[in-house]
């Protein structure tokens, strides 16, 4: 433990520096903080404060801190990569939510009605923004950010500093996390896609039965209206699916991701 400011010595400073290396990628990738609207100074300040708060939970005596520049570069790269992988687990969940919004919005006819996303400074559909905001509120409601801090503290128990693994388990981890994007997107967008498919089949039948009807002008308000209605009706499914995914992702960072990286 650190007894005030006078308790700081070289070993404590080295441990704190290691914690900063792992915390920084997580803070810069965490939902809310990863937004470009938040100044870099604020993110850096949060990184230093959270690293200081986590320092008492890190029980590790640095006996061979790299003294050579090249050795320190490889050491720092390994620590930053560990934090990056922890942050990636939750970023991919939100990427799946955004992909679901893109799919649903495009099928509803919002492909050309795009808005500027302040988080990524890119354009996205209004349905994507709606899904993202709901997912962000749910993430904060279930204290998802606490899983990050706990996984950071647990990472020092599973992976000692300077022991970043390069093994088949790491490749398996990347494949698992990447597949989660499409799985979550399909689960969220499936009710909307099913309804829109039935509507388009009905419009196709109507076109054959009544060719004089202008289906181009009729289909847009019909698909948009039905899509919005069923999005509101499917929020319970969206809430349950996303909550389970976020909780599994949080537990997986501790119970699956870290042991798998160590394998």
């Amino acid at each position: 433990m650190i007894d005030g400011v006078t308790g700081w010595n070289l070993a404590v400073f080295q441990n704190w520096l290691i914690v900063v290396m792992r915390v920084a990628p997580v803070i810069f990738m965490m939902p809310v903080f990863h937004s470009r609207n938040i100044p870099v100074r604020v993110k850096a300040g949060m990184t230093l404060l959270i690293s200081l708060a986590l320092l008492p939970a890190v029980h590790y005596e640095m006996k061979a801190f790299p003294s050579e520049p090249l050795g320190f570069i490889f050491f720092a790269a390994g620590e930053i990569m560990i934090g990056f992988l922890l942050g990636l687990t939750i970023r991919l969940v939100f990427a799946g939510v955004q992909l679901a919004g893109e799919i649903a919005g495009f099928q509803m006819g919002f492909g050309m009605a795009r808005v500027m996303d302040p988080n990524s400074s890119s354009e996205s559909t209004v349905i994507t923004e709606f899904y993202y905001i709901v997912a962000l509120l749910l993430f904060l409601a279930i204290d998802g950010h606490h899983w990050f801090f706990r996984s950071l503290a647990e990472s020092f128990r599973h992976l000692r500093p300077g022991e970043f693994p390069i093994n088949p388990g790491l490749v398996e981890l990347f494949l698992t996390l990447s597949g989660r994007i499409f799985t979550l997107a399909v689960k969220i967008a499936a009710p909307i896609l099913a309804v829109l498919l039935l509507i388009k089949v009905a419009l196709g039948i109507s076109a054959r039965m009544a060719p004089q009807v202008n289906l181009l002008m009729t289909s847009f308000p019909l698909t948009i209206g039905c899509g919005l209605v069923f999005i509101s009706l499917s929020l319970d499914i969206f809430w349950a699916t996303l909550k389970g995914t976020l909780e599994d992702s949080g537990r997986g960072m501790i119970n699956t991701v870290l042991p798998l990286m160590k394998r």
Side-chain angles (χ1 to χ4, degrees):
M1 299 295 292
I2 304 174
D3 299 328
V5 178
T6 58
W8 279 77
N9 51 35
L10 181 59
V12 174
F13 177 77
Q14 290 174 345
N15 286 346
W16 179 70
L17 185 60
I18 294 171
V19 178
V20 169
M21 293 178 187
R22 294 196 183 185
V23 171
V26 173
I27 294 298
F28 278 77
M29 296 182 67
M30 181 183 294
V32 180
F33 289 111
H34 86 283
S35 174
R36 296 185 180 181
N37 293 330
I38 300 178
V40 177
R41 293 183 179 179
V42 175
K43 298 178 183 179
M46 290 293 298
T47 299
L48 298 178
L49 291 176
I50 293 175
S51 301
L52 187 62
L54 290 176
L55 183 59
V58 178
H59 303 288
Y60 179 75
E61 296 294 336
M62 176 55 69
K63 298 180 180 179
F65 195 83
S67 57
E68 299 180 356
L70 184 61
F72 178 78
I73 291 175
F74 284 106
F75 179 86
E79 297 302 302
I80 293 174
M81 184 57 67
I82 293 174
F84 172 78
L85 289 176
L86 293 177
L88 183 65
T89 57
I90 194 64
R91 285 299 305 145
L92 291 180
V93 173
F94 280 84
V97 173
Q98 291 175 315
L99 179 59
E102 287 287 340
I103 296 174
F106 181 80
Q107 295 298 324
M108 289 172 57
F110 286 119
M112 298 298 294
R114 308 183 73 85
V115 295
M116 180 60 68
D117 183 4
N119 292 310
S120 59
S121 298
S122 61
E123 293 184 350
S124 61
T125 64
V126 291
I127 304 301
T128 302
E129 288 300 303
F130 173 74
Y131 275 163
Y132 181 83
I133 293 174
V134 173
L136 185 60
L137 293 176
L138 178 60
F139 174 77
L140 297 175
I142 64 174
D143 294 330
H145 52 290
H146 293 173
W147 287 104
F148 279 99
F149 304 141
R150 182 180 175 185
S151 64
L152 283 169
E154 290 289 331
S155 67
F156 290 93
R157 182 172 63 87
H158 291 278
L159 298 170
R160 296 170 63 86
E163 296 182 355
F164 178 72
I166 301 178
N167 51 35
L170 195 59
V171 178
E172 180 182 350
L173 173 61
F174 271 111
L175 295 176
T176 303
L177 295 178
S178 300
R180 185 177 298 174
I181 297 178
F182 303 99
T183 302
L184 180 61
V186 170
K187 288 182 179 179
I188 294 176
I192 312 303
L193 296 180
V195 172
L196 294 179
L197 177 61
L198 295 177
I199 292 175
K200 291 182 178 181
V201 170
L203 290 174
I205 297 174
S206 300
R208 301 294 295 179
M209 297 178 61
Q212 65 276 15
V213 177
N214 190 348
L215 292 181
L216 181 62
M217 300 301 297
T218 306
S219 61
F220 279 111
L222 183 61
T223 54
I224 292 174
C226 293
L228 293 176
V229 169
F230 279 91
I231 283 178
S232 62
L233 294 176
S234 64
L235 282 180
D236 289 339
I237 301 175
F238 173 81
W239 188 270
T241 301
L242 184 60
K243 182 179 180 181
T245 303
L246 288 174
E247 291 179 346
D248 292 342
S249 178
R251 297 189 188 98
M253 283 191 293
I254 300 173
N255 301 327
T256 304
V257 174
L258 293 176
L260 188 59
M261 291 171 60
K262 186 178 180 181
R263 188 187 308 173

